[in-house]
Amino acid sequence: MENNIKQILKRAFPVLGVLIALIVQNALPDSDLHPESAKSYYNVLLTALLAVSVIFFGISFIAKNVRGYLEEKGAFWAGAAVLVTVLNLVTAKFALLPVVFFPTYDNILAVFVEQTPLLLKCIWYSFRLLLLGVLWGVVIGFFTGVCLGFSKKVYYWINPYIKLIGPIPATAWIPLVLTTFPTPFGASVFIIALAVWFPVQLMTSSGIQNTTKVYFEVGKTLGAGTFFQIFRIAVPAALPNIFQGVFNGICAAFIALMTAEMFGAKYGIGWYISWQKAMMMYSGVYAGLIMIAVFCTVIITALFKVRGKFLGWQKGLIKW
């Protein structure tokens, strides 16, 4: 009986956390130092979250998977709600931090509601830029890595130059690239591709070089040609390394994307953050940071889903 009560309390933690946040938001007025928002968007968000929490709490009594999730993660979500509430007290309620740099939640959420078309345009621009840069970087990095990993002659002649150029941060090339490419968009794609290329080729070549030589010897004995040895022996054996290189490359691509968009881009999340900062509109800056967090999380989660499909035998080895 006591254990059942504890489990029910664990499942109720998210509801309690949102309730605390909602009570604090309505019981204490915002500081007069903050500009007043047109609507109480934070109240609307908390009310929606409370409804969702109550619904999931109710479902947990009949659905085993929901019950297990809430018992495991309920305390975390309650803690997150308390942390958000503390930040709300420090910023909006008591203005203990400079109001210019730390706006209220209402003003941050107002950006998403009032500037939706512009934000969607920036997200699309960044996604297109990231997709092209990552695609070129992965393709060229994979091709370079295969050549370096499989051919000792290519490795002998090319690897010293890669060791010299590869470690240089891609963003360090921005001044030169902007003067070389005819458009800022092309320059940004090149910077992102360069950031992705080095880790992909490094991990691909390393994975192929570390493949057990017996596999190649058996393949030769059975009459396997060069193409078969590369794409049916070397590449499958190096897949864990290749995915690790792509993961590292995408993380580097986000840095390159944000930096590249701050120099000459017309739209994009990085451009939006830079523009809002220049206008001293830090509510927009925080909205941009939230977009980056969601944007990166979705893409990396999708990458790990793809990795799980190709490398099911390594499931759980690298967690996200």
Side-chain angles (χ1 to χ4, degrees):
M1 183 66 179
E2 185 179 349
N3 289 335
N4 289 336
I5 294 174
K6 287 183 178 179
Q7 291 173 350
I8 293 173
L9 285 175
K10 287 181 179 179
R11 302 202 298 268
F13 276 153
V15 177
L16 296 175
V18 177
L19 271 176
I20 292 172
L22 196 58
I23 291 170
V24 170
Q25 173 64 11
N26 289 279
L28 299 174
D30 289 348
S31 171
D32 293 335
L33 298 176
H34 286 282
E36 187 176 355
S37 177
K39 295 181 181 179
S40 185
Y41 297 107
Y42 184 48
N43 252 333
V44 174
L45 177 62
L46 288 177
T47 303
L49 289 176
L50 180 61
V52 172
S53 301
V54 171
I55 291 171
F56 274 92
F57 177 70
I59 294 174
S60 68
F61 287 94
I62 56 176
K64 186 177 180 180
N65 55 344
V66 176
R67 180 165 62 249
Y69 177 82
L70 289 179
E71 288 176 359
E72 180 184 357
K73 297 290 186 179
F76 168 79
W77 290 116
V82 171
L83 176 61
V84 169
T85 302
V86 171
L87 291 175
N88 191 27
L89 289 171
V90 172
T91 55
K93 303 304 179 183
F94 301 124
L96 300 178
L97 298 173
V99 296
V100 175
F101 305 110
F102 297 94
T104 64
Y105 292 148
D106 281 333
N107 288 325
I108 295 173
L109 293 172
V111 174
F112 291 103
V113 177
E114 298 168 5
Q115 299 185 27
T116 301
L118 177 59
L119 294 179
L120 290 176
K121 192 171 186 177
C122 289
I123 291 172
W124 165 244
Y125 190 97
S126 292
F127 177 75
R128 184 181 59 164
L129 195 58
L130 184 70
L131 183 65
L132 288 173
V134 169
L135 182 63
W136 279 107
V138 169
V139 170
I140 298 174
F142 175 77
F143 177 77
T144 308
V146 168
C147 293
L148 289 169
F150 195 77
S151 173
K152 291 183 179 179
K153 289 184 179 180
V154 174
Y155 185 86
Y156 175 82
W157 288 105
I158 303 299
N159 192 57
Y161 297 104
I162 292 179
K163 285 183 176 179
L164 181 66
I165 298 173
I168 300 175
T171 52
W173 296 94
I174 287 179
L176 180 62
V177 170
L178 286 175
T179 59
T180 305
F181 281 76
T183 62
F185 184 84
S188 300
V189 171
F190 177 81
I191 290 297
I192 296 169
L194 185 62
V196 176
W197 161 77
F198 180 65
V200 171
Q201 73 81 23
L202 178 64
M203 297 306 299
T204 302
S205 61
S206 298
I208 293 175
Q209 289 172 345
N210 291 328
T211 302
T212 305
K213 304 303 178 185
V214 175
Y215 297 158
F216 297 107
E217 294 173 0
V218 172
K220 287 181 180 179
T221 302
L222 296 175
T226 302
F227 184 87
F228 186 95
Q229 291 184 51
I230 292 175
F231 291 100
R232 301 300 295 273
I233 298 176
V235 171
L239 270 180
N241 294 69
I242 294 173
F243 271 102
Q244 186 177 347
V246 173
F247 173 76
N248 293 336
I250 288 179
C251 292
F254 285 124
I255 300 173
L257 172 68
M258 294 301 112
T259 307
E261 284 184 341
M262 292 179 182
F263 293 91
K266 293 182 179 180
Y267 294 102
I269 302 175
W271 166 84
Y272 181 81
I273 292 175
S274 180
W275 173 52
Q276 291 290 292
K277 180 183 176 182
M279 298 289 290
M280 295 296 288
M281 300 292 292
Y282 277 83
S283 55
V285 173
Y286 286 106
L289 293 176
I290 292 171
M291 286 193 296
I292 292 173
V294 175
F295 190 55
C296 297
T297 301
V298 170
I299 291 178
I300 294 178
T301 300
L303 174 64
F304 269 81
K305 292 291 184 182
V306 173
R307 184 185 186 279
K309 294 291 185 181
F310 283 92
L311 299 173
W313 52 275
Q314 278 202 331
K315 188 175 181 180
L317 188 61
I318 301 177
K319 296 183 179 181
W320 169 253

